[in-house]
Amino acid sequence: YRLGAHDGLELISQAVEGGSMAPFILLTGQSDRETDEKAMRVGASDYLVKGTFDPFSLERSIRYSIEHAKSLAEIQKLNTELEHRVEERTRELGVAIRKLEDTNRSLYEAQVEIRKALQKEKELHELKSRFVTIASHEFRTPLSTVLSSASLIGKYKYTEDDEKRQKHVERIKSAVSNLTTILNDFLSISRIEEGKIYNVPTTFDLKEFTAEIVDEMQGLVKIGQKIHYNHSGPETIVTLDKQLLKNIILNLLSNASKYSGEGKQIYIDTAVDEVINLSVADEGIGIPETDKIHLFTPFFRAQNVTNIQGTGLGLNIVNRYVEIMGGTLTYDSKLNEGTAFHIIFPNTTPEA
């Protein structure tokens, strides 16, 4: 009542930008999805529609919001602790370098190794900081969706509200699916860094294998999008790691759909000759020139992805999998026209 010309969304946005760590619950007179999404986007933990909630709903909303804020605080605390550890380790290595430089120039080989270790520590620090930033943001969005939808479901108590209830059930399912994808990305990058991903080739029919994946993905793309698959040539038998290859194809097709608008077309082509060729092309937003150099960097996201969800790990994982399988990955991209990824694997099939 005292906001004047401003509204609650502006207040929350300014408070978050000003460093406020307290959870916010927006009280609004509107109960549409747009208001819901705006509230979550600016930093609200939940929102309640005036005149429609009871003391129980208010208490639950407050309790969930506080628990959510505590979780975010724990993540930020972890980030601070990691930064302190890395800074302490960096100082120790810096002192060690200076001592070696002062004692004997003959220890140059050892200095080089320590400098490498120091650079690794710095990269680790940056990687962990990016991880905490991305994790805080990417986990918050689906968790907020689950929280708000669960709260709203409890308010629809009559048969005629079934459609509204189902809408929020679907939103919860979608949010949980997003969380699963995020966790799988983090797990994959962790296993790669630990050297626990191995290339285990088997012999199979590439055309049939790819067609099955395309059928699986076709039901998951945006409205009006269609995946077109083409295999060139009579040869279809290959010897590759099926699980790694499936993850590569799923990731590239998922990105092609995610970064393309409704009704856009997606193309996947395979061919078996002296080498094995795989390409995935889309009609999406493309990659800005200035961002191309960082495309395969962990947690990096291009400047034109705006509000499209993602961890910035997908292409890094794809590139690492291709390397593990002994292949090469290249791409072509034009802004607002689309992107095409090209993968070449050596053909080690006995008949090749």
Side-chain angles (χ1 to χ4, degrees):
Y1 292 104
R2 296 194 175 96
L3 290 176
H6 303 284
D7 59 27
L9 292 173
E10 292 177 282
L11 172 63
I12 293 174
S13 179
Q14 291 179 15
V16 171
E17 289 175 1
S20 176
M21 302 298 292
F24 289 93
I25 301 173
L26 179 69
L27 300 182
T28 177
Q30 305 176 57
S31 59
D32 57 281
R33 181 169 181 174
E34 183 180 357
T35 302
D36 177 6
E37 292 178 345
K38 283 182 179 178
M40 297 305 125
R41 198 178 302 131
V42 300
S45 299
D46 196 3
Y47 91 105
L48 299 172
V49 180
K50 297 173 185 175
T52 65
F53 60 90
D54 53 25
F56 173 75
S57 300
L58 179 60
E59 184 275 335
R60 181 177 60 184
S61 179
I62 293 173
R63 176 162 43 87
Y64 283 0
S65 298
I66 291 175
E67 290 174 358
H68 188 200
K70 287 180 179 178
S71 298
L72 289 177
E74 283 297 318
I75 291 176
Q76 290 164 351
K77 179 182 176 183
L78 173 62
N79 184 36
T80 302
E81 292 176 354
L82 288 171
E83 287 179 348
H84 287 327
R85 290 179 189 175
V86 171
E87 288 174 359
E88 183 179 349
R89 180 63 175 156
T90 301
R91 283 195 298 271
E92 292 175 356
L93 287 169
V95 171
I97 288 174
R98 286 191 293 273
K99 286 182 178 179
L100 284 172
E101 290 175 339
D102 293 339
T103 53
N104 198 327
R105 294 294 175 181
S106 65
L107 296 177
Y108 173 73
E109 298 297 333
Q111 294 175 26
V112 170
E113 292 303 316
I114 292 179
R115 287 185 188 280
K116 288 181 180 178
L118 183 59
Q119 181 62 28
K120 279 287 184 183
E121 287 291 332
K122 182 180 178 182
E123 292 172 358
L124 178 64
H125 165 64
E126 294 173 351
L127 194 63
K128 287 180 177 178
S129 295
R130 288 202 298 271
F131 163 75
V132 173
T133 301
I134 292 289
S136 299
H137 178 267
E138 291 301 322
F139 278 104
R140 175 174 185 153
T141 302
L143 284 174
S144 297
T145 300
V146 170
L147 180 62
S148 64
S149 290
S151 177
L152 287 169
I153 285 175
K155 300 170 186 175
Y156 301 134
K157 302 176 181 178
Y158 304 102
T159 304
E160 55 267 28
D161 293 328
D162 282 347
E163 184 177 344
K164 296 178 181 178
R165 271 194 296 266
Q166 188 59 34
K167 179 191 75 173
H168 288 290
V169 168
E170 293 303 319
R171 290 187 66 202
I172 290 174
K173 289 181 180 178
S174 176
V176 171
S177 176
N178 287 339
L179 279 173
T180 302
T181 300
I182 294 167
L183 287 171
N184 285 338
D185 281 352
F186 287 149
L187 179 60
S188 295
I189 208 72
S190 175
R191 293 183 65 203
I192 290 172
E193 293 296 336
E194 293 171 3
K196 294 182 179 179
I197 300 293
Y198 305 100
N199 184 26
V200 185
T202 57
T203 302
F204 60 95
D205 190 303
L206 177 63
K207 184 177 180 180
E208 293 180 0
F209 177 76
T210 307
E212 290 177 2
I213 297 175
V214 169
D215 287 341
E216 178 184 335
M217 281 297 300
Q218 188 62 64
L220 303 176
V221 297
K222 294 177 182 176
I223 297 173
Q225 290 182 345
K226 182 173 177 59
I227 304 174
H228 303 272
Y229 173 48
N230 176 63
H231 180 84
S232 302
E235 296 297 328
T236 62
I237 303 302
V238 298
T239 302
L240 295 170
D241 188 308
K242 291 181 72 172
Q243 189 57 53
L244 292 184
L245 181 61
K246 182 174 183 178
N247 289 337
I248 289 169
I249 296 174
L250 286 175
N251 210 311
L252 290 178
L253 289 177
S254 176
N255 275 2
S257 173
K258 183 192 300 184
Y259 298 111
S260 299
E262 294 181 355
K264 296 294 185 179
Q265 306 303 298
I266 300 168
Y267 303 91
I268 175 169
D269 295 272
T270 55
V272 180
D273 201 344
E274 295 179 355
V275 294
I276 301 165
N277 288 279
L278 165 68
S279 65
V280 175
D282 61 52
E283 299 174 344
I285 60 177
I287 304 164
E289 284 295 328
T290 54
D291 290 339
K292 289 182 177 180
I293 191 174
H294 305 293
L295 190 61
F296 299 111
T297 302
F299 303 108
F300 175 79
R301 306 203 71 212
Q303 56 188 311
N304 62 335
V305 299
T306 59
N307 293 324
I308 302 174
Q309 276 196 317
T311 60
L313 290 175
L315 287 179
N316 176 263
I317 292 172
V318 167
N319 192 39
R320 299 289 287 276
Y321 282 175
V322 170
E323 290 176 351
I324 290 171
M325 295 171 68
T328 58
L329 170 63
T330 58
Y331 68 94
D332 304 299
S333 183
K334 290 186 178 180
L335 200 60
N336 299 320
E337 291 186 19
T339 302
F341 288 92
H342 311 283
I343 300 174
I344 297 177
F345 294 114
N347 192 349
T348 59
T349 307
E351 296 82 1

